[in-house]
Amino acid sequence: MEANAAKRKEPRKALRVKVISMGNAEVGKSCIIKRYCEKRFVPKYLATIGIDYGVTKVQIRDREIKVNIFDMAGHPFFYEVRNEFYKDTQGVLLVYDVGSKESFEALDSWLAEMRRELGPHASLDSVVFAVCANKVDAGKLRVVDESEGRLWAESRGFLYWETSAQSGEGIQEMFQNFYSAIVEVCENGGKRPAGGSGISFTREQADAIRRIRNSKDSWDMLGLKPGASREEVTRAWPCCCTPPRAWALKPRMAQNPCPKPQNSHGNPRIP
């Protein structure tokens, strides 16, 4: 009995994980890591040359985690260096600058690069992604709003956090949740636990919300051409009936909802 009790009290073996950072140059990847590990912000921009490597220990619940962090340079020039570091990754910090639309639109390219380097038979299902909408202290200079970034991340099953390496906003919480998710996947045999992916939108819902966000008029909001029949309008109408959270992404839609058939020809009345 005493031997069994002593065995139960033995500390669990430390878990080693590999984390990489991805994103365009100057989005603040290194600053986010430095803010978390060293609790400080370096205002002077120093470009990462190839790869920066660091090790940190964190405690997640009753488990010690030894995290190997590979901070990858975002400039295309260093592609031949960073392409060797995608393999055996458990977690990815995918960072963009909320003041740079280009860095946000490049996220798909970064995912494509990782898939390409891992090979056609590799799966990203066991990798935890944390999308960091960085530099939220930008204020009026912000061009990518939270709803747009959150929609992109959550429709792919990724974590999403608003962060500021300068002020420290969201950094601690993001890393704690990020590491917790990695531990869950590792303890679940490399598979995401049921209900643990954080998905809030299906792909169909995400596509519908994007169409609504970018619509020019009520016809475009429904994905129809002017003069569509009553049946076409009726079929398209349910696509706009998204969850309450999705309605919050597009306040003007709630104020000016898609038109239902109003006239004798079965065409919608355009407000």
Side-chain angles (χ1 to χ4, degrees), residues 99-170:
S100 168
K101 190 75 170 181
E102 180 183 357
S103 70
F104 174 67
E105 293 174 343
L107 295 182
D108 283 311
S109 298
W110 283 101
L111 285 179
E113 179 177 301
M114 184 174 185
R115 287 193 179 96
R116 184 171 62 249
E117 294 307 318
L118 291 178
H121 303 296
S123 172
L124 300 183
D125 291 344
S126 62
V127 180
V128 176
F129 286 84
V131 177
C132 299
N134 197 36
K135 304 188 184 181
V136 294
D137 53 276
K140 293 182 179 180
L141 297 177
R142 181 170 188 161
V143 296
V144 183
D145 62 33
E146 179 181 354
S147 63
E148 190 172 6
R150 187 177 294 278
L151 175 63
W152 188 92
E154 293 186 348
S155 65
R156 290 163 173 78
F158 298 166
L159 302 173
Y160 175 85
W161 287 90
E162 299 256 299
T163 61
S164 169
Q166 181 171 329
S167 69
E169 179 182 344

Side-chain angles (χ1 to χ4, degrees), residues 16-216:
R16 294 180 179 272
V17 301
K18 176 183 176 182
V19 168
I20 63 174
S21 69
M22 301 194 320
N24 283 8
E26 300 185 50
V27 297
K29 300 185 297 296
S30 301
C31 289
I32 286 175
I33 295 170
K34 194 173 291 291
R35 166 64 77 173
Y36 177 73
C37 295
E38 302 178 15
K39 305 297 187 290
R40 66 189 182 98
F41 174 70
V42 181
K44 184 179 179 181
Y45 175 66
L46 299 171
T48 300
I49 307 300
I51 298 286
D52 273 350
Y53 172 72
V55 179
T56 186
K57 293 181 181 181
V58 296
Q59 194 76 23
I60 302 297
R61 297 186 290 273
D62 61 339
R63 195 81 182 266
E64 182 182 75
I65 315 298
K66 294 183 178 180
V67 186
N68 297 275
I69 304 177
F70 295 83
D71 181 21
M72 305 201 301
H75 197 283
F77 179 78
F78 295 108
Y79 166 71
E80 295 297 337
V81 177
R82 65 174 180 259
N83 65 357
E84 300 293 328
F85 290 86
Y86 285 114
K87 293 180 180 179
D88 303 318
T89 295
Q90 282 89 35
V92 175
L93 294 176
L94 196 52
V95 186
Y96 70 92
D97 174 0
V98 298
S100 168
K101 190 75 170 181
E102 180 183 357
S103 70
F104 174 67
E105 293 174 343
L107 295 182
D108 283 311
S109 298
W110 283 101
L111 285 179
E113 179 177 301
M114 184 174 185
R115 287 193 179 96
R116 184 171 62 249
E117 294 307 318
L118 291 178
H121 303 296
S123 172
L124 300 183
D125 291 344
S126 62
V127 180
V128 176
F129 286 84
V131 177
C132 299
N134 197 36
K135 304 188 184 181
V136 294
D137 53 276
K140 293 182 179 180
L141 297 177
R142 181 170 188 161
V143 296
V144 183
D145 62 33
E146 179 181 354
S147 63
E148 190 172 6
R150 187 177 294 278
L151 175 63
W152 188 92
E154 293 186 348
S155 65
R156 290 163 173 78
F158 298 166
L159 302 173
Y160 175 85
W161 287 90
E162 299 256 299
T163 61
S164 169
Q166 181 171 329
S167 69
E169 179 182 344
I171 301 294
Q172 188 72 23
E173 298 85 350
M174 181 274 292
F175 272 102
Q176 284 298 111
N177 281 270
F178 180 48
Y179 291 146
S180 292
I182 292 174
V183 171
E184 286 185 30
V185 170
C186 291
E187 292 181 345
N188 199 43
K191 298 179 181 179
R192 296 183 186 277
S197 65
I199 298 176
S200 297
F201 303 107
T202 65
R203 282 301 180 96
E204 291 75 16
Q205 289 171 339
D207 290 342
I209 295 170
R210 289 191 187 95
R211 189 183 69 241
I212 292 167
R213 290 179 58 90
N214 299 324
S215 60
K216 299 175 183 177

Side-chain angles (χ1 to χ4, degrees), residues 208-247:
I209 295 170
R210 289 191 187 95
R211 189 183 69 241
I212 292 167
R213 290 179 58 90
N214 299 324
S215 60
K216 299 175 183 177
D217 53 35
S218 298
W219 289 105
D220 197 25
M221 195 178 288
L222 285 170
L224 298 174
K225 295 180 179 179
S229 68
R230 178 186 295 271
E231 289 74 19
E232 290 173 320
V233 173
T234 302
R235 283 197 301 270
W237 177 255
C239 293
C240 294
C241 299
T242 48
R245 186 177 181 190
W247 280 80

